[in-house]
Amino acid sequence: MSDDDDFMQDSDQEDYDFDYEDDDEEQGGDVDIENKYYNAKQLKGEDPEGAIDEFLGVPALEDEKGDWGFKGLKQAIKLEFKLARYDQAVDHYKELLTYVKSAVTRNYSEKSINNMLDYIEKAAEDADAYRCMEKFYALTLDTFQSTNNERLWLKTNIKLARLWLDRKDYRQLTGKVRELHKACQKEDGTDDPSKGTYSLEVYSLEILMYAETRNNKRLKALYQRALKVKSAVPHPKIMGIIRECGGKMHMSEENWKGAQSDFFESFRNYDEAGSLRRIQVLKYLVLSTMLSGSDINPFDSQETKPYQNDPRISTMTDLVNAYQREDIHEYEKILQNNPDLLKDPFIAENIDEVTRNVRTKAVVKLVAPYTRFTLAFISKQLKISLAEVQEIVGFLIVDKRLRGKINQQSGTVEIESSTDMDRVQAMKEWSAAIGALWATVLNEGDGFKSDDGGAHLPPSSGEPGLVQRGNFAMNGPGAKAGRQKGKGPGRLLGGVGVGNKG
């Protein structure tokens, strides 16, 4: 509700009196009050202090507390808060709350008070303002708890919990969310379906708290419980918060696919809510896409496509394009030219893993034609330190993506020829087959047993795959490969070098 929402009233509560003769005097009084109120509104921009005095004069013109006095106090309080006159704002807010029991309708008072609290929440900028907010919340809770207005009581408590989250007062926040969870449950302890929306808001605050304190165990349990709430129709911003925290949780577990899915849902919800947070979450979506190794461009979807050329996201767009092209030099250049990208702690924390993946792919691509190379050669080509090169090559060898050994003293790496390895494997398989056949012939071949029980081999029949005793002639399919000489590793060229694979 804006400052100009003063005509919002419950039409069912209005009385219409057509006795014109008796009403003339009352109408004249109302006109004076109304004129004073609107004259005060005209002063708001150029003379806010004068406007406060005029607004505070409105209640004094009423014989009994009514709508115009309520409106005048409301406008005065907003101006006092804006001018940092917090003590006066609190005093006049106490007076305003006396109107809610009888002077104005329940619906109108609830909407007005809720929007008043929204206003001061957005306008607060320093510690004094936050202390004033706490007093407003405390006064509101006392007033509406006594009037059994549970809905406004819940809304105000959620605002108070959000204030404590912003101030990182986790002790008070923990107690408050526990109280709110209980208020959103039935007497038997099960969730109350009629309060599902409030329950999700409480979950979002608690999830944010555990995300900030890095308590992933509690965060994961709450995240799963929040997704099971089906009775709510929450504001999309609430679901955006829950999904964003879920994505960060998945990232900490290196569950890149899960993170990618959650960040997309978070972006979609923030976008629907019109929240500026969507831009930052879209960056997280791009980050998780690169880490998942997906070849799908995150800007191909209908929801994200309109933001592909957005200047706020262009850096991440360029980064993912360089990543998918495996262009390490362009990737490194983008990072160096955009240091602001790393000001986000979450991106700074996870971009190293993306950079490592880019460099690993670049090393594999660079050394593919060679059987011997130096670490210095890789360092020079990729413009990274020797220590990083050695770490990447060591990882590739352990991961069996490179067959080779690092010579620490000379700083060289020798790659085993895949052709020679295939030959050795073929020889092993061929020898095993011959051994099995030999055992079969000796142990089960009755036609080769003599009368004295001795076993004799038949003369060579020239059949391939058999071995003759004495000269062990090899006639099997692996014999030719076994007789050929494998080509050795390439020689080191120019200290950098590189022998081509034979």
Side-chain angles (χ1 to χ4, degrees):
M1 189 186 301
S2 67
D3 291 345
D4 298 321
D5 60 357
D6 301 303
F7 292 104
M8 182 180 289
Q9 299 186 48
D10 189 348
S11 59
D12 294 337
Q13 301 295 325
E14 292 179 354
D15 293 325
Y16 297 94
D17 194 343
F18 294 98
D19 191 355
Y20 296 110
E21 292 181 359
D22 296 336
D23 204 33
D24 286 342
E25 185 177 349
E26 292 180 11
Q27 185 177 3
D30 286 346
V31 168
D32 291 340
I33 296 173
E34 185 177 352
N35 287 338
K36 189 172 185 65
Y37 175 79
Y38 284 109
N39 287 336
K41 288 196 75 172
Q42 290 179 350
L43 293 174
K44 283 173 62 176
E46 55 188 33
D47 184 12
E49 293 185 355
I52 291 174
D53 294 335
E54 287 293 303
F55 281 128
L56 293 177
V58 173
L61 296 177
E62 291 185 317
D63 295 331
E64 294 181 357
K65 292 179 180 178
D67 288 348
W68 289 111
F70 184 80
K71 296 172 184 177
L73 283 171
K74 186 174 65 173
Q75 296 288 351
I77 292 166
K78 290 181 179 180
L79 287 173
E80 287 171 338
F81 192 87
K82 186 176 182 180
L83 296 176
R85 293 161 60 169
Y86 300 125
D87 291 338
Q88 295 177 17
V90 170
D91 290 338
H92 292 131
Y93 187 65
K94 289 179 184 178
E95 184 180 351
L96 180 75
L97 292 174
T98 63
Y99 280 69
V100 303
K101 294 182 180 179
S102 59
V104 292
T105 64
R106 178 187 174 100
N107 287 342
Y108 178 50
S109 64
E110 180 182 329
K111 291 178 181 178
S112 297
I113 296 299
N114 190 56
N115 283 282
M116 170 74 74
L117 298 179
D118 283 342
Y119 174 83
I120 65 171
E121 183 181 356
K122 294 175 181 177
E125 296 179 350
D126 54 33
D128 290 336
Y130 289 136
R131 282 191 289 270
C132 180
M133 284 173 61
E134 284 190 274
K135 292 178 182 179
F136 270 59
Y137 293 149
L139 290 168
T140 306
L141 291 172
D142 289 341
T143 299
F144 285 92
Q145 193 167 23
S146 63
T147 60
N148 294 321
N149 191 326
E150 188 180 30
R151 185 167 57 184
L152 187 58
W153 182 86
L154 282 168
K155 288 180 178 180
T156 305
N157 268 308
I158 288 172
K159 291 179 188 297
L160 181 57
R162 190 180 298 120
L163 172 64
W164 285 336
L165 177 66
D166 292 340
R167 296 172 63 178
K168 302 188 185 302
D169 189 345
Y170 301 128
R171 182 185 62 81
Q172 291 198 80
L173 176 59
T174 300
K176 182 57 67 177
V177 295
R178 190 181 297 119
E179 179 185 3
L180 285 167
H181 278 309
K182 189 175 181 179
C184 293
Q185 294 173 345
K186 297 180 180 179
E187 292 182 359
D188 60 1
T190 59
D191 291 337
D192 186 344
S194 66
K195 298 174 184 174
T197 300
Y198 298 116
S199 184
L200 272 178
E201 287 194 61
V202 178
Y203 275 128
S204 71
L205 292 171
E206 198 171 4
I207 285 171
L208 278 170
M209 177 179 70
Y210 288 123
E212 290 180 3
T213 56
R214 295 181 178 273
N215 188 339
N216 276 351
K217 185 176 180 181
R218 286 290 299 150
L219 192 158
K220 190 169 186 176
L222 284 170
Y223 167 79
Q224 292 171 344
R225 286 171 60 186
L227 293 184
K228 291 179 181 178
V229 177
K230 303 298 183 183
S231 61
V233 185
H235 192 283
K237 185 177 179 180
I238 299 300
M239 291 309 300
I241 291 171
I242 293 173
R243 288 291 194 169
E244 179 186 350
C245 290
K248 290 180 177 179
M249 175 194 71
H250 288 313
M251 289 283 276
S252 68
E253 298 174 344
E254 297 187 3
N255 178 6
W256 315 127
K257 293 288 186 182
Q260 186 180 7
S261 174
D262 266 352
F263 284 139
F264 178 77
E265 287 300 319
S266 176
F267 165 79
R268 193 173 59 80
N269 279 283
Y270 280 136
D271 193 35
E272 182 180 346
S275 172
L276 294 177
R277 187 68 187 165
R278 61 191 170 194
I279 297 298
Q280 204 62 24
V281 170
L282 185 53
K283 294 179 183 180
Y284 299 161
L285 173 60
V286 174
L287 185 67
S288 61
T289 300
M290 290 188 287
L291 285 170
S292 69
S294 174
D295 293 331
I296 300 174
N297 192 313
F299 294 99
D300 286 343
S301 71
Q302 182 180 354
E303 292 85 354
T304 59
K305 200 173 188 65
Y307 295 90
Q308 186 167 5
N309 297 320
D310 191 308
R312 296 169 294 178
I313 205 72
S314 59
T315 300
M316 293 300 289
T317 308
D318 296 339
L319 206 62
V320 74
N321 288 336
Y323 179 87
Q324 292 182 337
R325 294 196 313 269
E326 298 183 8
D327 187 343
I328 185 172
H329 296 302
E330 181 64 20
Y331 175 89
E332 300 276 6
K333 182 180 178 181
I334 293 169
L335 284 183
Q336 290 174 2
N337 293 340
N338 297 276
D340 290 347
L341 184 66
L342 302 182
K343 287 184 178 180
D344 185 306
F346 182 73
I347 293 179
E349 181 181 344
N350 289 278
I351 198 68
D352 287 346
E353 186 69 24
V354 181
T355 303
R356 177 189 175 92
N357 290 348
V358 173
R359 290 174 176 176
T360 300
K361 289 180 179 180
V363 169
V364 172
K365 187 176 181 179
L366 183 62
V367 305
Y370 310 126
T371 57
R372 183 183 297 178
F373 56 85
T374 66
L375 298 176
F377 167 68
I378 302 299
S379 175
K380 182 179 179 181
Q381 293 295 315
L382 302 185
K383 298 178 182 178
I384 56 179
S385 68
L386 280 172
E388 289 176 303
V389 173
Q390 185 168 330
E391 181 184 355
I392 293 172
V393 172
F395 165 76
L396 289 171
I397 291 174
V398 171
D399 200 42
K400 297 183 180 180
R401 292 166 65 182
L402 278 182
R403 293 178 177 178
K405 294 180 181 180
I406 300 176
N407 188 322
Q408 298 277 4
Q409 293 182 344
S410 62
T412 60
V413 179
E414 293 189 3
I415 303 299
E416 297 174 354
S417 171
S418 59
T419 303
D420 290 343
M421 293 295 294
D422 292 341
R423 289 170 181 163
V424 170
Q425 185 63 28
M427 287 292 293
K428 287 181 179 180
E429 294 175 359
W430 180 80
S431 298
I434 292 298
L437 179 61
W438 180 264
T440 301
V441 169
L442 289 181
N443 297 330
E444 301 178 9
D446 295 336
F448 299 107
K449 292 181 180 179
S450 61
D451 294 338
D452 58 3
H456 300 281
L457 285 175
S460 173
S461 62
E463 292 290 335
L466 297 182
V467 179
Q468 279 190 329
R469 182 184 293 274
N471 59 11
F472 294 97
M474 296 182 183
N475 298 314
K480 184 177 181 180
R483 289 193 296 268
Q484 290 179 344
K485 295 182 180 179
K487 295 181 181 179
R491 58 191 181 85
L492 199 64
L493 298 180
V496 197
V498 288
N500 290 328
K501 287 183 178 177

